[in-house]
Amino acid sequence: MREAREVFEEIKVLYGFKNLTELSKFFGKNGNWAASMIKNESIPYPQCAQVCTEKNVSMDWLLFNKEGQSVDKAELLNLIQEGLYESKELAILEDLTLEQLKATSALVLKQVENVVRINKCLSNNEKKAV
């Protein structure tokens, strides 16, 4: 687990605060609140939850410096395409052409990217498939 000082530093950076006084006032606390919390090695969990929501970071990252699980974009696209092809074989999506399935998989991938951390490295061949 990160030390309180590290957590406050990350929060300061995320919001672009110049100092701990700005950070304290942002959360509606007195000017020395953050410094006191650091001195006492206290983590402000309600404020951490707010930061995670507002800045779209995970609590694991903020408190433990752990990155969320990521997925390789090419692998995810392949899995989506396989699922759609299987749906075609099972006659669930029988009216779609292979090109339509590829386009649909790219659209599904785009929606998934909005909520999941994806490593965005595709080879040139895989880029053409999208």
Side-chain angles (χ1 to χ4, degrees):
M1 183 161 193
R2 290 187 191 208
E3 295 178 6
R5 173 189 53 75
E6 295 170 308
V7 172
F8 277 99
E9 185 60 32
E10 290 297 350
I11 293 171
K12 197 172 85 172
V13 169
L14 285 168
Y15 284 95
F17 297 132
K18 295 177 187 137
N19 54 50
L20 293 175
T21 302
E22 284 183 7
L23 183 151
S24 298
K25 290 182 179 181
F26 174 80
F27 288 113
K29 308 293 184 180
N30 65 42
N32 65 347
W33 170 76
S36 295
M37 294 287 286
I38 291 169
K39 182 179 176 186
N40 294 325
E41 267 305 313
S42 297
I43 304 289
Y45 294 104
Q47 288 76 18
C48 288
Q50 178 182 341
V51 169
C52 291
T53 300
E54 291 178 356
K55 295 300 181 177
N56 197 27
V57 297
S58 75
M59 193 70 84
D60 281 341
W61 174 79
L62 185 59
L63 298 179
F64 300 100
N65 197 23
K66 290 184 180 178
E67 290 294 325
Q69 183 178 1
S70 64
V71 179
D72 181 69
K73 186 173 184 176
E75 180 182 345
L76 180 58
L77 180 60
N78 186 49
L79 291 170
I80 292 169
Q81 287 177 344
E82 285 178 15
L84 290 173
Y85 293 146
E86 186 175 342
S87 294
K88 183 172 179 63
E89 290 174 8
L90 294 171
I92 297 169
L93 298 173
E94 62 188 311
D95 294 335
L96 294 180
T97 66
L98 291 179
E99 287 303 312
Q100 289 172 319
L101 288 175
K102 284 182 180 180
T104 301
S105 64
L107 292 171
V108 170
L109 179 64
K110 183 178 178 181
Q111 293 301 313
V112 171
E113 283 181 299
N114 290 329
V115 294
V116 176
R117 182 185 319 259
I118 297 175
N119 294 333
K120 299 184 185 231
C121 50
L122 287 176
S123 69
N124 287 334
N125 290 341
E126 290 161 329
K127 286 179 184 174
K128 290 176 187 172
V130 176

